[in-house]
Amino acid sequence: MSTYDTLVARTVATLNLHQTDVLQLDDEALRKLVCDGLKSQLGSGENWQIDGSEAELSQRVLDDIVGLGPPEVLLRDPHISEIMVNRFDQIYVERAGCLQTCPVSFRNEAALRHVIDRIVAPLGRRIDASSPMVDARLTDGARVNAVIPPLAVAGACLTIRKFSSHRLTMSALIASGSVSNSLAELLQWGVKLRRNILISGGTGSGKTTLLNILADSVSAEERIITIEDAAELKLDHDNLVALEARPANQEGVGAVTIRQLVMNALRMRPDRIVVGECRGGESLDMLQAMNTGHAGSMTTLHANTPRDALSRLETMVLMAGLDLPLHAVRQQIAGAIDWIVQIGRMADGKRRVQSLTEVRGQAGEVMQLAEIIRFEQSSGEHRWMGELPELLSELDDASRRQFLQQLQTRGDDD
């Protein structure tokens, strides 16, 4: 055992508290308790010879006793959006959309495995040789994925995606150039006028963030049911019920899938259903909900383009195992999805809405798509593509004239 490990062990012994008792203390009381225990060890006359000031050492001990160890300092850094532990001695972080190596590391493989267990245990999830992958979340909502051997060849790996402590708004997206004024206004109208919206994009493109922001435009009088594999959405809405799927227990029973939650949500009198991400057979139930009185529902999926998103949606509906003919699946999609919002992460790390596309039914076997607004990389601006969204007919005359004038006079609004 290293000198530092010995110091931590003796400090914990000095506290003489069970872990559950420690977790009931607030941060200030816990910090004082650990500092007092550490001081008693440092003042015991033994020469510990550990680098760093007493304050730094206290924070490090606190992180190891009740926190997540080395990642804690990274979680406190507001400029870091993602923490990627490739193995116990190699950690990368994402700052401003760019990956960087990090000098922080775990002491050994056992320390990393201990932290992973500490994350998943309170959620009732497990990770072991029989179930070597897990999705989880931290108390602040950060998304966690862990993989252990034998799947992870070089040792356990851990990925933590942080969410900003400051909740983003549509005005913040406009200021950052993620959306233009016209696009933002159109998206807000789409939510208010109950368009079914599919947000498509790659990993880390900002789909969940955009979904959170769009939900701000939902009327306070409406009831929202959110359904996720691991709860990440933070909707600012009073009449909200958040549901989270549950994996099977060690006996292989007790699992509650997203598809089951979607079907159950239909019995909960929702005005809108928001599925954090469609990944499989639940896509069929989501489409049926959109087609049967729950207009204004929203979801996300992984795809590179709007047409790819529809193709993926077809594939996932077929995964429901009901042996539906393809033309029936396409009819469901054409009748359910109104808008596809494509979002992506640019080469400079910035996230932008790349296009807003309207679904306008079918012509034979081909889905008819109309691109309303597109982000042009060459000019760095969102441009109107000449097509008018059908919801303009639902706006009052003044709003419609103002929006048309804005589009036709400038073509964008940057």
Side-chain angles (χ1 to χ4, degrees), residues 61 83 185 189 240 264 293 296 312 325 342 385:
V61 171
I83 302 167
E185 188 175 5
W189 279 339
L240 169 70
N264 186 77
R312 276 213 70 207
Q342 186 69 35
M385 304 308 294

Side-chain angles (χ1 to χ4, degrees), residues 25-46:
L25 300 175
D26 60 36
D27 185 70
E28 184 177 351
L30 182 58
R31 188 180 300 275
K32 184 178 186 303
L33 189 67
V34 172
C35 288
D36 290 344
L38 183 61
K39 285 180 180 179
S40 68
Q41 291 302 312
L42 295 177
S44 63
E46 189 168 347

Side-chain angles (χ1 to χ4, degrees), residues 344-369:
R345 182 168 54 182
M346 306 290 105
D348 59 3
K350 293 184 178 179
R351 296 163 173 83
R352 290 188 176 91
V353 172
Q354 296 174 319
S355 68
L356 171 62
T357 303
E358 190 167 61
V359 180
R360 293 182 176 173
Q362 286 181 273
E365 293 298 314
V366 180
M367 205 77 70
Q368 297 298 297
L369 303 181

Side-chain angles (χ1 to χ4, degrees), residues 218-295:
V218 176
S219 169
E221 299 174 355
E222 296 183 78
R223 176 176 170 85
I224 302 177
I225 309 293
T226 66
I227 300 167
E228 302 175 83
D229 188 39
E232 299 168 359
L233 293 171
K234 295 182 179 179
L235 274 57
D236 187 14
H237 199 82
D238 289 334
N239 195 353
L240 169 70
V241 176
L243 303 178
E244 184 180 49
R246 186 180 70 184
N249 60 20
Q250 292 185 356
E251 288 74 35
V253 298
V256 179
T257 65
I258 290 181
R259 186 175 184 189
Q260 290 173 305
L261 292 177
V262 172
M263 290 188 287
N264 186 77
L266 298 177
R267 306 184 184 99
M268 298 174 67
R269 200 265 176 218
D271 289 303
R272 304 188 190 225
I273 297 175
V274 177
V275 177
E277 182 180 340
C278 282
R279 297 177 180 173
E282 70 276 358
S283 302
L284 174 59
D285 303 284
M286 182 70 191
L287 292 176
Q288 290 178 328
M290 290 176 170
N291 270 321
T292 54
H294 299 92

Side-chain angles (χ1 to χ4, degrees), residues 3-15 30-46 48 50-63 65:
T3 303
Y4 174 77
D5 291 337
T6 302
L7 177 60
V8 171
R10 292 189 184 179
T11 300
V12 171
T14 302
L15 301 181
L30 182 58
R31 188 180 300 275
K32 184 178 186 303
L33 189 67
V34 172
C35 288
D36 290 344
L38 183 61
K39 285 180 180 179
S40 68
Q41 291 302 312
L42 295 177
S44 63
E46 189 168 347
W48 292 103
I50 299 177
D51 295 334
S53 65
E54 186 174 311
E56 293 172 339
L57 189 57
S58 297
Q59 185 62 63
R60 185 180 172 191
V61 171
L62 181 63
D63 290 344
I65 292 176

